[in-house]
């Protein structure tokens, strides 16, 4: 573990706090959640907490102090506990965690209600992501009340509050070379899982059987977990955007849409591929696939430094809409269909989102201020280190204006694209994407 990476991140936050007048920042990791009686969900730390600490244990919090000349980072974590370690495994404890993870001090989590109010007293501001967890919000309010109750002794509670996420989210949005390398590995493993699912797929398989192929490959290559609930959708289910892997059978002539990827050291991949259950696209499936593929290719080309975030979506929307007109699924002119938004019958989502420690990662999509009343803020400008998905799709449900031969064709193609100094890098390009490559890979 590169401890200096986390120290440097904390130092950047402390500097940003100082530039805003200074104060105390508090951020908790995610709590453990019960799944059912005496059994928890698999634990996953809070992404921002991990970003600043590299510390994966639950029941932890970080406190940053930028007050006057003081610049300190404190960790609160579980104490050593011999019996609980027999049952649940190793714990660092405050003393070892301080040394290993490079903190200025560390305390048992049980002391946080005692220590933090004293740190907050006379601090100019509180930096805290208010509104994320009502229970934690209540705890922070209790600390403020405790400080205010000491007003007769001359102590003052912070007079200003800042959202800590406003500082950290912009840091997380731009990845360094190590982060990109981790995401590249997650994408490589995820692409191999998609390729495995294509090879394994047979007519008559259930969606959950295909999902098992994905999960096997994730773990076989060392991924800690899926990055999100896998979508494995056969036939008509491919037209349901967030359909989870279920019990439906992949029938002859069906398409199978898989949106699935793994997580490595907290960093997510996010890949979608669509392929025929029998290994051969029909003429209609092929025609729709070519439209989506052309839209994705153009959208990927639109990812470059200096372009705005929405540029790939605008390019993809025009190509998809023209394709729908050419297929006879829409009528009229291209500009008319875009202005009326009639394309949204078949394409109803954005073409991408930020990717990183969260599969829908942090970072504003717009920035600055609006240029006039009723005008939205301008789109964020892409810069090296940002990572976005590019995922156009078409979802053709039965409708009066849709010929039966197109019914239930749902196609999405999604890749992970890192903005580089000279353009872009497609991190997930190993997964078969071209029609000929998919059919050849499936070998039917």
């Amino acid at each position: 573990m590169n401890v200096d990476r986390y120290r440097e991140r904390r130092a950047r936050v402390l500097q940003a706090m100082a530039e805003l007048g200074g104060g105390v920042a508090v951020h908790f990791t995610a709590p453990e959640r019960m799944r059912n009686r005496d059994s928890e969900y698999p634990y996953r730390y809070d992404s921002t907490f991990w970003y600043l600490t590299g510390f994966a244990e639950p029941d932890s919090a970080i406190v940053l102090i930028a007050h006057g000349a003081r610049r300190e980072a404190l960790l609160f974590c579980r104490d050593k506990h011999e019996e609980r370690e027999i049952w649940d495994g190793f714990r660092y404890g405050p003393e070892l965690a301080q040394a290993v993870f490079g903190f200025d001090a560390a305390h048992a989590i049980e002391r946080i209600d005692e220590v933090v109010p004293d740190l907050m007293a006379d601090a100019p501001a509180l930096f805290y992501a208010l509104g994320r967890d009502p229970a934690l919000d209540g705890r922070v309010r209790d600390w403020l009340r405790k400080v205010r109750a000491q007003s007769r002794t001359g102590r003052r509670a912070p007079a200003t509050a800042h959202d800590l996420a406003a500082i950290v989210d912009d840091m997380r949005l731009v990845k360094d070379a190590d982060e990109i390398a981790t995401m590249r590995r997650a994408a490589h493993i995820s692409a191999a899982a998609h390729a495995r699912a294509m090879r394994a797929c047979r007519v008559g398989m259930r969606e959950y059987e295909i999902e098992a192929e994905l999960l096997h490959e994730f773990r076989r290559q060392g991924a800690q977990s899926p990055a999100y609930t896998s979508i494995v959708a056969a036939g008509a289910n491919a037209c349901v955007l967030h359909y989870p892997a279920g019990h439906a059978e992949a029938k002859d002539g069906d398409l199978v849409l898989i949106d699935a990827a793994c997580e490595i050291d907290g960093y997510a991949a996010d890949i979608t591929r669509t392929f025929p259950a029998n290994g051969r696209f029909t003429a209609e499936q092929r025609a729709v696939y070519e439209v989506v593929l052309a839209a994705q290719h153009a959208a990927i080309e639109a990812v470059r430094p200096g372009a705005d975030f929405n540029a790939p979506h605008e390019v993809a929307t025009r190509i998809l809409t023209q394709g729908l007109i050419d297929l006879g699924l829409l009528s009229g002119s291209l500009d008319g269909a875009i202005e009326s938004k009639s394309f949204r019958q078949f394409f109803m989502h954005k073409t991408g989102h930020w990717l990183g420690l969260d599969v829908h990662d942090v970072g504003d999509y717009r920035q600055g201020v609006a240029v006039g009343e009723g005008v939205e803020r301008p789109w964020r400008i892409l810069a090296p280190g940002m990572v976005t998905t590019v995922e156009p799709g078409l979802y053709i449900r039965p409708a009066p204006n849709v010929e039966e031969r197109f019914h239930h064709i749902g196609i999405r193609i999604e890749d992970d694209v890192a903005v580089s100094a000279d353009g872009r890098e497609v991190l997930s390009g190993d997964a078969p994407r071209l029609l000929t490559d998919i059919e050849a890979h499936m070998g039917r």
Side-chain angles (χ1 to χ4, degrees):
M1 183 184 69
N2 183 355
V3 177
D4 289 339
R5 166 197 290 183
Y6 301 103
R7 280 201 187 101
E8 189 273 336
R9 290 172 180 170
R10 295 193 292 265
R12 288 172 62 191
V13 175
L14 287 165
Q15 179 60 32
M17 290 168 59
E19 291 172 1
L20 290 169
V24 173
V26 181
H27 192 83
F28 295 88
T29 195
E32 292 179 295
R33 302 287 188 187
M34 296 303 295
R35 184 181 186 277
N36 51 26
R37 183 179 174 86
D38 200 33
S39 179
E40 298 91 8
Y41 283 101
Y43 183 68
R44 184 8 171 106
Y45 39 76
D46 172 83
S47 294
T48 290
F49 181 84
W50 169 261
Y51 182 79
L52 295 175
T53 68
F55 190 70
E57 291 186 14
D59 296 327
S60 305
I62 182 175
V63 176
L64 301 174
I65 306 163
H67 188 189
R70 189 176 181 186
R71 301 286 185 275
E72 292 182 22
L74 282 58
L75 176 70
F76 291 81
C77 64
R78 300 180 301 183
D79 220 337
K80 295 293 287 182
H81 194 299
E82 183 177 346
E83 183 178 354
R84 289 318 312 168
E85 290 188 60
I86 292 172
W87 288 92
D88 301 327
F90 172 78
R91 296 182 178 188
Y92 277 95
E95 184 176 346
L96 184 58
Q98 177 183 344
V100 171
F101 294 91
F103 284 90
D104 298 299
H107 305 280
I109 189 66
E110 289 80 8
R111 295 195 60 209
I112 195 167
D113 293 328
E114 165 197 348
V115 174
V116 174
D118 281 343
L119 296 174
M120 290 169 58
D122 297 325
L126 172 65
F127 293 78
Y128 173 72
L130 186 67
R132 300 290 178 89
D133 186 307
L136 296 178
D137 291 352
R139 196 168 190 178
V140 172
R141 285 195 296 269
D142 286 343
W143 294 341
L144 290 169
R145 281 193 288 268
K146 186 173 181 180
V147 178
R148 290 181 183 124
Q150 303 174 48
S151 61
R152 292 185 180 181
T153 67
R155 308 189 87 185
R156 298 176 59 185
T160 306
H162 297 284
D163 187 356
L164 183 63
I167 297 173
V168 183
D169 288 2
D170 268 5
M171 290 173 52
R172 283 177 52 186
L173 178 58
V174 179
K175 281 72 178 175
D176 62 26
D178 288 339
E179 291 176 285
I180 296 292
T182 302
M183 295 181 70
R184 190 181 294 116
R185 182 179 171 217
H188 176 77
I189 294 172
S190 301
H194 278 265
R196 179 191 180 108
M198 289 181 191
R199 289 194 304 272
C201 183
R202 296 291 185 277
V203 171
M205 286 183 75
R206 301 284 179 177
E207 292 163 337
Y208 61 79
E209 294 180 88
I210 301 171
E211 180 191 24
E213 300 292 335
L214 298 164
L215 299 177
H216 180 103
E217 194 66 20
F218 292 165
R219 291 298 283 145
R220 189 185 76 82
Q221 293 207 38
Q224 289 95 349
S225 68
Y228 51 94
T229 301
S230 299
I231 296 170
V232 181
N237 296 331
C239 294
V240 180
L241 298 185
H242 290 163
Y243 178 85
H247 295 263
E249 179 183 324
K251 298 183 175 63
D252 193 29
D254 278 354
L255 289 172
V256 178
L257 186 155
I258 297 178
D259 186 338
C262 71
E263 179 178 289
I264 294 287
D265 296 339
Y267 288 87
D270 189 1
I271 302 174
T272 305
R273 291 293 186 266
T274 310
F275 56 89
N278 63 13
R280 304 297 294 181
F281 288 91
T282 67
E284 289 76 17
Q285 291 168 354
R286 184 179 298 272
V288 177
Y289 192 99
E290 290 282 20
V291 171
V292 177
L293 184 63
Q296 198 215 23
H297 177 77
I300 289 173
E301 290 295 307
V303 176
R304 64 175 70 91
D308 70 53
F309 171 81
N310 203 46
H313 178 68
E314 291 176 346
V315 169
T317 298
R318 293 191 69 83
I319 293 175
L320 292 173
T321 304
Q322 184 62 59
L324 290 166
I325 293 170
D326 294 343
L327 292 170
L329 292 164
L330 290 178
S331 59
S333 69
L334 172 59
D335 289 340
I338 289 176
E339 184 177 355
S340 68
K341 300 189 186 301
S342 60
F343 66 86
R344 289 183 63 82
Q345 179 182 350
F346 307 104
F347 176 52
M348 62 293 294
H349 59 76
K350 279 288 188 181
T351 306
H353 56 78
W354 302 132
L355 184 67
L357 283 168
D358 295 308
V359 70
H360 283 238
D361 207 23
V362 296
D364 286 341
Y365 292 96
R366 295 181 183 270
Q367 59 186 158
V369 296
V371 295
E373 185 176 351
V375 178
E376 293 181 311
R377 292 182 299 144
W379 291 102
R380 184 183 284 273
I381 300 302
L382 298 177
M386 295 178 180
V387 183
T388 180
T389 62
V390 178
E391 50 178 308
L394 290 174
Y395 314 91
I396 308 175
R397 299 168 180 79
N401 64 325
V402 176
E403 293 182 58
E404 186 176 354
R405 63 195 178 101
F406 289 112
H407 285 185
H408 307 306
I409 293 179
I411 294 170
R412 182 166 65 251
I413 310 171
E414 178 181 18
D415 281 289
D416 306 340
V417 183
V419 184
S420 61
D422 56 356
R424 73 210 60 82
E425 177 189 355
V426 180
L427 303 178
S428 50
D430 293 343
R433 188 165 61 112
L434 301 179
L435 283 159
T436 53
D437 289 347
I438 291 172
E439 290 182 338
H441 190 78
M442 296 184 74
R444 319 283 158 77

